[in-house]
Amino acid sequence: GHPIYEGISINLLYKSDELLITEIIRKKTSKEPLHENHDHKTLSVLIKGKLKLTIDDKIFIAERGDLWVHKIGSHHSIEALEDSAELSIKSPPVKTW
């Protein structure tokens, strides 16, 4: 995959005029810094592993099969508690790496 942060890589699975679908692979202890979706929504599902999600100052633990949404304007970050794989769907299809 294409590296985006230390221990985090992304694989492009599908792109159309409406959607961008990627697989995000995270190594245990990798962290994605706090950032904001200013022009797109993201729907994600955890395929494997365990993540600590921070979304607008709330903390969640995601496990295999869990689904979450980052709305436009939400601030969020992710820390991998285990080696993890996430399916991410962005609309509109904005490349953020």
Side-chain angles (χ1 to χ4, degrees):
H2 175 77
I4 55 174
Y5 297 107
E6 186 175 338
I8 304 172
S9 63
I10 193 164
N11 297 308
L12 179 62
L13 302 178
Y14 174 82
K15 185 173 190 273
S16 72
D17 292 338
E18 293 84 29
L19 298 173
L20 175 67
I21 302 175
T22 58
E23 175 189 44
I24 303 172
I25 306 298
R26 301 173 191 275
K27 295 288 185 188
K28 183 177 180 178
T29 72
S30 65
K31 295 180 183 179
E32 185 177 304
L34 187 67
H35 62 285
E36 176 186 1
N37 288 358
H38 61 276
D39 58 358
H40 64 280
K41 296 178 193 172
T42 304
L43 175 107
S44 295
V45 63
L46 192 58
I47 299 167
K48 167 188 142 182
K50 191 175 195 179
L51 300 174
K52 178 182 174 183
L53 310 172
T54 302
I55 304 172
D56 290 332
D57 299 323
K58 295 180 184 172
I59 296 174
F60 305 92
I61 302 299
E63 296 183 343
R64 184 176 179 261
D66 285 346
L67 179 91
W68 64 94
V69 175
H70 297 141
K71 297 183 262 181
I72 292 174
S74 72
H75 292 84
H76 52 279
S77 66
I78 299 175
E79 178 182 351
L81 302 176
E82 298 175 357
D83 287 350
S84 301
E86 165 193 342
L87 184 66
S88 175
I89 303 167
K90 295 181 185 291
S91 180
V94 176
K95 182 178 176 184
T96 56
W97 67 94

